[in-house]
Amino acid sequence: MIIKKLDLYMIRLFIAPFLMIYSTIFIIFMIQFFWSQIDELTGKNISIFIILKFILYFGISIIPLVTPIALLLTSIIIFGDFSENQELIAIKSSGISLFRVMIPILGITFVLSIGLYLFSDFVIPKAKMKVKKLGYKISLTHPSLKLKEGIFINLFPNFFIKIDRKSINSNYLHNIFIFFYGKNSLVNTILSQRGVLIPNQEDGSIQLKLMNGVLYSENLNGPKKEQSSYQIVEFDTLIQNFKIPSEYNIKNLDDNDYDFYQTLNTKNLIQKINFLKKENYKKINTEKSKIYLAKLQLELQKKFTFPVTCIIMFLTGAPLGAIIRKGGIGYPTMIALIIFIIYYTLLTITQNKVEKTEICPWIGAWIPNFIFFPVSIWMTYKTVMDDFYII
C-alpha cells in the first residue's frame, strides 16, 4: 500500500514539471526557428496562414529533439529537489531504494519512448511531406524566394539562374545570369543587369522581365538541322514566359536533391534501402549513390535512437539530481544544458561523418547513446549503492 502511494506521489510530482518544462523548451525552439526565418517569411506577400503552417510543421518535426531534453531537465529538478528536502533520505531509511523510487517515472519514460517512435514513424514524415509541398507551392507563387545570391539555382526543369543581389525594398534582381534549354535541347544564355520574376498562378507560368542585357541563342540550320549557329541579341527590355510542365510536381521531385528520405517511414526506408542494395547494386559504386544510401540508413536508425535517448537521459538525470542535491531551475538547467550540448555535439559530428560515408551509418547514429548509456547505468548504480555524493 505504501509502495502504491509512493508511485502515485512520484507520478504526480513528475507530470506537472515535465509538461511545463516541455512547453518552455518547445516554445524556445519555435521562437529560434521563427527569428532565423523571419527575413525569408515576412515582407514577401506570403499570407500569415502559410507562415503559421510552416511554424506548425516545424514544431512537429522538433518533438523528437525536445523530448529527451525535457526528460533530462525534469528528472534532475525532481530528484534534486527530492534529495535537497531530505525526502529521499526518509524513503531510504524505510528500506526503499532509489531505483525503486525511479521505477514509476521510468515506466512513464518507456511509454513516452514508444510513443515518440510511433510519432516519428507516422506523424513526422507526413508533416515533412506537407512542408515540402508547401515550399514547392511558395516557390511557384514567389519564385524569387528560392534564389540565393551568388549561387546557381535550378528554379524549374532545364532552367538555371544566378543573381548577384536582391533589392531589399523591391522584387528586382541584379546582375542576372541565366541559362536554359530550349527546343531540341539547345542552350540559351542570358546576361542582364536587372530583372524581375512575375508568377502567373492561373496557368502556372513564370514571366521573366529583364532589362539591359544580352541573349545568346543557339539555332539549328540546314534542311536536316545538322548545322548550328549562334545568335547574339542585345536588348533594353526582354520579356519571356516559361511554362512549368504539369508533371513537374511534388511527387516527381528527385530524392537526392530534395531530401525526400526524411518523409519516409520505417517500412518505406527499409524497402528503399533493400532496393538500392539488391536491385541497384552496380550503381551504388558512384559517390552520390553511396551518400544517398548512407542518408537513408542514418534516417532509419534515427527512428530508434531518439526513443532510446529518452530512457538514457532519464537514467542520467535522476541519479545526477540525487547526487547534486539541488532543486529549483538554475543549477539543474545549467547541468542539463552541458549534458545536452555534449550529446548534440557528438550527434552532429557523427552524422556529418555518416553523410560523408566516413563511418558506418548505424555506428554514427548510435555513438552518442553508446557513450551515454554506460555512464547513466554507472551513475544509477553508484547512487543506489550510496557510493558517492557531492556535498
Side-chain angles (χ1 to χ4, degrees):
M1 190 66 176
I2 295 174
I3 295 296
K4 289 183 179 179
K5 286 184 178 180
L6 179 62
D7 291 344
L8 292 173
Y9 175 69
M10 292 304 299
I11 291 171
R12 286 199 301 268
L13 203 65
F14 171 80
I15 289 176
F18 175 74
L19 293 176
M20 183 182 69
I21 290 168
Y22 194 99
S23 301
T24 303
I25 296 173
F26 184 81
I27 291 170
I28 290 171
F29 272 90
M30 296 292 284
I31 292 172
Q32 187 273 335
F33 168 76
F34 180 76
W35 281 110
S36 67
Q37 301 294 324
I38 191 169
D39 291 335
E40 296 294 331
L41 296 177
T42 58
K44 310 290 186 180
N45 295 322
I46 302 176
S47 71
I48 188 68
F49 178 69
I50 292 177
I51 294 175
L52 290 175
K53 285 178 73 175
F54 254 121
I55 294 174
L56 171 64
Y57 295 143
F58 172 78
I60 292 173
S61 67
I62 63 170
I63 285 177
L65 189 61
V66 173
T67 306
I69 310 173
L71 278 167
L72 174 65
L73 181 55
T74 305
S75 59
I76 294 175
I77 290 174
I78 287 176
F79 284 89
D81 190 62
F82 210 55
S83 183
E84 186 180 24
N85 295 334
Q86 306 299 319
E87 292 178 89
L88 190 58
I89 294 176
I91 290 172
K92 285 182 177 181
S93 65
S94 65
I96 300 173
S97 69
L98 172 64
F99 186 74
R100 181 61 188 83
V101 176
M102 292 167 55
I103 283 177
I105 303 179
L106 184 61
I108 294 175
T109 304
F110 271 107
V111 172
L112 282 173
S113 298
I114 294 169
L116 184 61
Y117 165 73
L118 296 173
F119 189 85
S120 300
D121 203 41
F122 294 102
V123 179
I124 292 179
K126 292 180 180 179
K128 289 186 175 181
M129 174 63 80
K130 289 183 178 180
V131 165
K132 293 184 182 298
K133 287 182 178 180
L134 199 59
Y136 176 72
K137 290 178 181 177
I138 290 176
S139 69
L140 296 183
T141 55
H142 303 276
S144 59
L145 287 179
K146 196 175 179 180
L147 301 180
K148 296 180 180 179
E149 296 177 354
I151 300 173
F152 273 104
I153 300 295
N154 184 196
L155 197 59
F156 44 85
N158 301 323
F159 185 95
F160 300 84
I161 180 171
K162 180 177 77 73
I163 61 169
D164 284 349
R165 181 170 60 89
K166 292 183 188 179
S167 293
I168 298 175
N169 299 322
S170 66
N171 293 323
Y172 279 101
L173 313 172
H174 300 270
N175 296 329
I176 304 166
F177 184 173
I178 298 170
F179 72 90
F180 60 94
Y181 296 97
K183 295 180 179 180
N184 300 317
S185 298
L186 297 177
V187 178
N188 297 273
T189 305
I190 302 176
L191 300 175
S192 176
Q193 294 181 10
R194 196 164 62 121
V196 63
L197 291 169
I198 306 170
N200 187 335
Q201 299 184 30
E202 294 181 0
D203 61 2
S205 65
I206 292 179
Q207 185 181 89
L208 183 62
K209 184 177 180 181
L210 301 171
M211 283 79 78
N212 302 325
V214 181
L215 166 64
Y216 301 89
S217 178
E218 188 178 8
N219 299 309
L220 292 177
N221 301 323
K224 295 184 179 180
K225 296 186 177 181
E226 294 177 349
Q227 298 178 342
S228 62
S229 63
Y230 221 69
Q231 183 180 15
I232 300 176
V233 178
E234 295 184 3
F235 59 84
D236 294 325
T237 301
L238 174 66
I239 297 176
Q240 282 200 321
N241 293 307
F242 295 91
K243 179 69 176 179
I244 301 176
S246 59
E247 67 271 11
Y248 184 72
N249 51 41
I250 194 69
K251 293 180 181 179
N252 292 327
L253 294 176
D254 181 70
D255 287 354
N256 295 19
D257 294 335
Y258 289 84
D259 293 335
F260 247 52
Y261 61 89
Q262 295 179 356
T263 67
L264 303 176
N265 58 26
T266 301
K267 181 180 178 181
N268 292 334
L269 281 169
I270 293 172
Q271 290 175 348
K272 192 83 172 176
I273 291 168
N274 290 337
F275 173 78
L276 287 175
K277 283 184 174 179
K278 296 177 181 179
E279 303 296 331
N280 225 11
Y281 181 78
K282 294 182 179 179
K283 296 182 180 179
I284 292 180
N285 292 327
T286 64
E287 189 65 25
K288 190 175 182 181
S289 296
K290 287 181 179 179
I291 291 173
Y292 183 53
L293 179 59
K295 287 182 178 181
L296 284 170
Q297 293 173 322
L298 178 63
E299 187 68 19
L300 176 62
Q301 296 299 323
K302 284 165 63 178
K303 301 282 187 185
F304 303 96
T305 54
F306 280 116
V308 173
T309 301
C310 292
I311 299 170
I312 292 173
M313 288 301 167
F314 171 71
L315 291 175
T316 303
L320 194 58
I323 292 167
I324 64 175
R325 297 181 179 183
K326 292 288 184 181
I329 297 295
Y331 198 47
T333 301
M334 181 181 68
I335 294 174
L337 280 175
I338 292 171
I339 293 172
F340 180 74
I341 288 171
I342 294 171
Y343 172 84
Y344 193 73
T345 301
L346 284 171
L347 185 65
T348 303
I349 291 172
T350 53
Q351 285 187 1
N352 288 338
K353 287 187 174 295
V354 169
E355 292 177 357
K356 294 177 182 178
T357 65
E358 294 178 4
I359 59 176
C360 180
W362 74 268
I363 292 178
W366 287 95
I367 278 178
N369 286 347
F370 287 157
I371 293 173
F372 274 84
F373 181 68
V375 173
S376 66
I377 295 297
W378 178 78
M379 289 179 62
T380 302
Y381 172 76
K382 299 291 277 187
T383 309
V384 168
M385 301 302 292
D386 291 331
D387 211 0
F388 65 85
Y389 284 98
I390 296 177
I391 305 298

